[in-house]
Amino acid sequence: MKASRLAYLGPEGTFAEEALSSVKTIDVNGLETCSPMRSVQAVISSIEAGTFDYGLVPIENSVDGEVMSTLDALVFATSRCLIREEVILPVSFTSLRRVGDTSPPRVAISHPAALGQCRSYIESRSLEERAVASTAEACRIVAGGSETGLVAIASSRSGLLHGLETAEERIEDFPGASTRFALLSRELSPLAGSENAGSDVKTFFVLTPPEDRTGILADMLKAFSDRGLGLASITSRPLRSALGTYCFLLEVRAGLGSTDLIAAMKELSSLGCAVKYLGTYAAFEGERVTTPFAAGPAGSLPPGDPASVDALASRVLTDRSGD
Amino acid sequence: MARDSRGSGGGGAGAIVLFPGPRGTSDERAISLLRTVEQPEAHPVPVIETVLATVGHTPDSLGLVPLENPLEGELAPVLDRIAFDTANVFIRETVVLVEQMEAFGLAPKPTARTVVSHPFVLALCAPFISRLGLASVTAASTADACRMVRSGGGEGLVAIAPQAVGESFGLVPATNRGLTLPEVRTRYALIGREVCAKTGDDLTLLVITPAADRSGSLETVLHSFSERSLDLTSLRSRPVVAGTTESHCFFIEVRGHVSDVPLREALSELLSQDARLRVLGAYPRWPGMAVMPPYAGLPAASVSRESDADLLAAALHPPAAALAGGERPARRAQARRGGSG
């Protein structure tokens, strides 16, 4: 049997590489190669072109929500890539310095997303920020330079790989954050034909309605709700083809072998929707990616009190209160 | 009492508008596009969180924060902060800044071998960087990139930046052929302690948390809008944890103003269904260009009722068609037709 090749968002030491150890649908240790790639787009292109068999890319994290650049590439620039597994990795950041550099931290180096997620740490120490291409690149710069007072913000594992020592652990603003990765391939996943309709299997579709009219989305969703099919996520994305047109990225809680899902897709087709299938996979067991905030939206109107809308409409137009 | 969109409530002439600094960034340039504030005075603060916190604690204060860009779509960290971390901050205007990127180096005839810019701009330039075999270096901002070039960052170092930024550092356009530089559109939100008054062509941004996380709950929410002919302009689910319960809230932008009767009726109906509701803002619709994904065309490899019958059948009956061979359904259908895909 032909040995398989996997590409992931590199360089070595990234959270993507760390997430490989949680992959279940393929034997990662039995792969011919596990190659770090320079960008998510490079990973996706390599699967699309068939130069690699599998690819691991981030698609969602607690703080930034869906990673739209990854999803856009899958939606608009591929016709063969499928998601065959989702993997969720708890993410924590560490500040790392060169061994022997005992001067107080002065400059924080990392990927902009990591810098943004460690804002309190950076501000409380009045650190200058330097943005670089990845957290692993930050470690490489700190390890290879002679400048003092530099700290890389990255995973502990990345620091270890570059011979750095820990300055401080768990420096993220929101403890408990996590990132969801998609394992891509050109083959259907073993679960693709699952007849399950429930919370343990998900199918990813992109639906493009035939027209932009009031209520088209509600009509589309009715195809699922009439059959008791739940959604795990939904996102609208504008299309450049015409102003005011959209496609919708949906994860439906059902396998592609579910007769209910097939019937729903037929109904959507009869409505004139264009359908793109992006894969069926098991819902990750354990950690979920949720917003980093411990409660729902602040200042929400209380349910069951329709009259409060009038009060709200007045208040948001005339708020003059102090704290 | 509804306020005039140019009147009080922080939008008066000469009002200070906080923005995440430093000066000279796109964020500051976007302030000049505001239509509801006369002669705004831009004032930099360290980070977005400072803008939000200051506006949240200071009546009459205003701030400008980025809301959406082509690469990342809607910026969840900003919208989350407004939705989950503040109860009295509202979006009262949105603007879209459109900037054409250019490549700048040192006079007299710079030729790019390494490009430097903000990571977001570099990501949009990735196709030509790869095609031309250029190296890339990240900078904190396009202004920083120009500063690196100006200070003699090395032969062949070229900054990717808007024209105004490049020229302000005394740099000149690079001479390379094949530099297909992107136009960057960024949507910004003016935030304050109250929404903008109704103009007749408005949008309202809501966060709706249905009473139960079950099949059909979103459809029920949407029905309240569609039966009143209220169009949606964006929708995004966001998973939340309230106590020990996981559920979803929905960020929904709808045409109309929160003070319009049809929208108020829709919101009242949602509350009567025990949904929770937060208004994030009401603002005039931006009449100019919108922020779009960087890809042209429809989602690739979609099938529809107009598609080839084999393709459509395979897409709608995938398990039987595909699992036996472990191939993607559409591919098998194409193979049967002798297509190359």
Side-chain angles (χ1 to χ4, degrees):
Chain A
M1 185 177 162
K2 177 174 152 294
S4 298
R5 294 158 300 169
L6 182 145
Y8 66 93
L9 176 62
E12 289 179 36
T14 58
F15 287 116
E17 188 191 32
E18 205 170 326
L20 285 172
S21 62
S22 299
V23 167
K24 290 178 180 170
T25 61
I26 58 172
D27 176 13
V28 173
N29 293 323
L31 294 169
E32 179 187 343
T33 56
C34 257
S35 300
M37 306 287 272
R38 184 176 170 151
S39 67
V40 167
Q41 282 67 28
V43 175
I44 292 173
S45 298
S46 72
I47 308 303
E48 180 75 359
T51 50
F52 280 81
D53 304 287
Y54 303 105
L56 195 73
V57 291
I59 58 170
E60 183 181 14
N61 71 59
S62 306
V63 175
D64 299 313
E66 289 166 325
V67 183
M68 203 48 73
S69 55
T70 304
L71 294 174
D72 275 349
L74 288 172
V75 169
F76 294 104
T78 73
S79 57
R80 303 177 189 187
C81 280
L82 296 172
I83 300 172
R84 60 176 282 134
E85 183 177 350
E86 69 173 19
V87 173
I88 296 175
L89 180 77
V91 169
S92 181
F93 290 103
T94 303
S95 72
L96 301 140
R97 65 187 170 199
R98 194 170 54 252
V99 175
D101 180 6
T102 54
S103 56
R106 187 175 47 81
V107 180
I109 307 177
S110 196
H111 186 273
L115 292 170
Q117 291 182 37
C118 300
R119 188 62 56 205
S120 299
Y121 167 80
I122 292 169
E123 281 187 37
S124 63
R125 289 153 185 78
S126 303
L127 302 182
E128 177 192 328
E129 292 179 36
R130 283 188 204 162
V132 294
S134 70
T135 54
E137 171 72 358
C139 290
R140 191 189 63 75
I141 291 170
V142 172
S146 56
E147 196 177 345
T148 59
L150 302 186
V151 291
I153 293 180
S155 68
S156 297
R157 184 170 176 279
S158 184
L160 199 64
L161 282 173
H162 289 86
L164 301 177
E165 66 178 15
T166 297
E168 281 188 60
E169 289 182 298
R170 289 185 285 278
I171 60 169
E172 61 273 13
D173 295 340
F174 298 105
S178 54
T179 297
R180 181 161 68 128
F181 293 87
L183 181 68
L184 308 174
S185 80
R186 304 203 323 173
E187 297 174 349
L188 286 166
S189 79
L191 270 173
S194 169
E195 296 175 4
N196 285 355
S199 59
D200 57 340
V201 179
K202 294 193 271 189
T203 295
F204 201 130
F205 287 110
V206 185
L207 301 178
T208 308
E211 58 187 328
D212 181 41
R213 65 166 169 81
T214 304
I216 184 70
L217 179 58
D219 291 349
M220 287 161 56
L221 297 184
K222 190 169 183 296
F224 299 112
S225 61
D226 278 353
R227 297 168 177 86
L229 298 169
L231 300 184
S233 71
I234 180 169
T235 302
S236 65
R237 199 74 178 113
L239 297 172
R240 294 172 74 111
S241 50
L243 194 61
T245 58
Y246 302 85
C247 64
F248 296 91
L249 286 59
L250 294 99
E251 284 179 287
V252 184
R253 294 188 184 280
L256 207 47
S258 155
T259 52
D260 283 331
L261 184 56
I262 294 299
M265 301 317 291
K266 284 182 176 177
E267 185 175 323
L268 288 165
S269 180
S270 69
L271 281 172
C273 293
V275 180
K276 175 166 180 165
Y277 172 65
L278 267 177
T280 300
Y281 41 91
F284 188 78
E285 289 178 18
E287 188 83 27
R288 301 288 174 96
V289 177
T290 61
T291 61
F293 297 90
S300 290
L301 296 182
D305 182 13
S308 63
V309 171
D310 294 333
L312 171 86
S314 299
R315 184 173 73 77
V316 298
L317 282 164
T318 58
D319 179 49
R320 312 295 291 170
S321 63
D323 293 323
Chain B
M1 182 182 75
R3 292 188 180 279
D4 183 275
S5 62
R6 283 181 177 271
S8 51
I16 290 174
V17 178
L18 307 176
F19 71 97
R23 286 199 181 276
T25 61
S26 304
D27 299 6
E28 182 176 16
R29 290 190 289 280
I31 290 175
S32 66
L33 300 175
L34 293 171
R35 297 175 296 159
T36 63
V37 186
E38 291 176 31
Q39 299 173 325
E41 184 183 329
H43 183 79
V45 294
V47 290
I48 289 172
E49 288 78 0
T50 313
V51 178
L52 293 167
T54 306
V55 171
H57 290 91
T58 316
D60 283 348
S61 61
L62 297 172
L64 193 85
V65 292
L67 203 60
E68 185 179 7
N69 67 49
L71 204 65
E72 299 165 287
E74 291 178 353
L75 299 177
V78 178
L79 285 168
D80 278 359
R81 289 266 186 192
I82 299 174
F84 295 98
D85 223 14
T86 74
N88 58 353
V89 172
F90 300 98
I91 298 172
R92 45 176 295 148
E93 185 178 354
T94 64
V95 300
V96 176
L97 179 70
V98 182
E99 294 192 308
Q100 176 63 47
M101 293 294 126
E102 305 283 352
F104 290 97
L106 289 171
K109 289 185 177 178
T111 302
R113 287 202 293 275
T114 300
V115 293
V116 56
S117 195
H118 187 273
F120 165 68
V121 177
L122 289 176
L124 289 173
C125 295
F128 84 75
I129 290 173
S130 171
R131 192 177 68 248
L132 300 179
L134 304 176
S136 61
V137 175
T138 53
S141 67
T142 56
D144 266 0
C146 291
R147 193 173 294 115
M148 287 168 68
V149 173
R150 181 73 264 173
S151 62
E155 192 180 341
L157 185 67
V158 160
I160 310 292
Q163 183 179 3
V165 178
E167 289 178 354
S168 72
F169 282 86
L171 303 178
V172 298
T175 56
N176 299 62
R177 290 186 177 183
L179 296 179
T180 45
L181 292 150
E183 174 192 86
V184 177
R185 300 180 190 180
T186 309
R187 188 184 189 204
Y188 290 88
L190 178 70
I191 55 173
R193 294 283 292 263
E194 55 196 61
V195 302
C196 189
K198 178 178 173 177
T199 68
D201 187 11
D202 304 289
L203 298 168
T204 294
L205 183 60
L206 306 158
V207 186
I208 296 168
T209 312
D213 198 31
R214 57 170 171 72
S215 170
S217 57
L218 175 58
E219 184 203 336
T220 303
V221 168
L222 298 182
H223 189 255
S224 293
F225 297 114
S226 61
E227 72 175 1
R228 294 172 177 86
S229 298
L230 296 166
D231 284 334
L232 308 188
T233 54
S234 78
L235 166 67
R236 185 168 53 88
S237 63
R238 194 83 169 102
V240 292
V241 177
T244 57
T245 308
E246 288 184 9
S247 61
H248 288 85
C249 64
F250 298 96
F251 286 72
I252 293 176
E253 190 182 59
V254 58
R255 281 189 190 273
H257 193 274
V258 67
S259 62
D260 290 340
V261 171
L263 186 49
R264 284 162 80 152
E265 285 178 356
L267 301 183
S268 292
E269 184 172 284
L270 290 170
L271 287 177
S272 70
Q273 294 162 356
D274 285 341
R276 296 178 67 85
L277 171 69
R278 166 80 198 277
V279 174
L280 288 189
Y283 36 88
R285 189 177 64 83
W286 174 249
M289 291 181 175
V291 177
M292 294 286 180
Y295 299 91
L298 299 171
S302 292
V303 293
S304 67
R305 63 186 172 192
E306 286 82 25
S307 299
D308 175 279
D310 273 356
L311 268 177
L312 186 57
L316 297 180
H317 302 280
L323 289 182
E327 283 185 71
R328 187 170 183 191
R331 299 289 301 155
R332 285 180 61 85
Q334 284 176 318
R336 284 200 299 276
R337 294 185 294 119
S340 63

